[in-house]
Amino acid sequence: DTGVSQNPRHKITKRGQNVTFRCDPISEHNRLYWYRQTLGQGPEFLTYFQNEAQLEKSRLLSDRFSAERPKGSFSTLEIQRTEQGDSAMYLCASSPFGPPNSFGTGELFFGEGSRLTVL
Amino acid sequence: AQSVTQLGSHVSVSEGALVLLRCNYSSSVPPYLFWYVQYPNQGLQLLLKYTSAATLVKGINGFEAEFKKSETSFHLTKPSAHMSDAAEYFCAVSEHTGTASKLTFGTGTRLQVTL
């Protein structure tokens, strides 16, 4: 078990550029989550997948953000036309609970995060 | 919506002293509660969780927390602090609706351990 893997770990980009982050969850985990963490704050929920289906999106996820999990395994988070306010740590987490629409205990397994700096 | 409040963004203790990190929650239904720890440049690691079984929960690294419904609290304690405990600690509550199961985190408490 290699844990949740995120790439790249660090990304520096200029305002207006597009960036993409990848998350590889723990194998056999069918739920995958994206969170954003800014300095001095706790992680904030962005979106969540059950297998390949995106079941919930936060209002924080503007239309410049898109997340996919095409085969129910790895996921990508793309930010288009980045803004300085997008600078943050983007955390991915997975959990083994399912089936769809069931209540899990909420325990999540986090990756080390992808830090984005927008200049 | 459920929420978590962590009192004290920074806590400093001496090595060997008691650690007490405070967490209060707001929930209209019985909550599931968690404490996570984050070391510098690392992801979050689960310390312990309360899922409606025993109200006193023991976790890793000697930490424990007690669920007190009357006080809507879930404070984290450790009898004797170690230098390696220096990190950021997050309390979280699980929100559960028909389609979602996600965590809502507090703003975190940074624990400093001094000699």
Side-chain angles (χ1 to χ4, degrees), chain B residues 19-38:
Chain B
V19 176
L20 172 60
L21 304 182
R22 299 179 185 274
C23 172
N24 288 88
Y25 68 91
S26 172
S27 173
S28 59
V29 298
Y32 286 7
L33 294 160
F34 305 80
W35 276 99
Y36 280 81
V37 61
Q38 186 177 34

Side-chain angles (χ1 to χ4, degrees), chain B residues 35-47:
Chain B
W35 276 99
Y36 280 81
V37 61
Q38 186 177 34
Y39 297 101
N41 299 315
Q42 295 189 24
L44 283 77
Q45 178 183 5
L46 181 69
L47 272 179

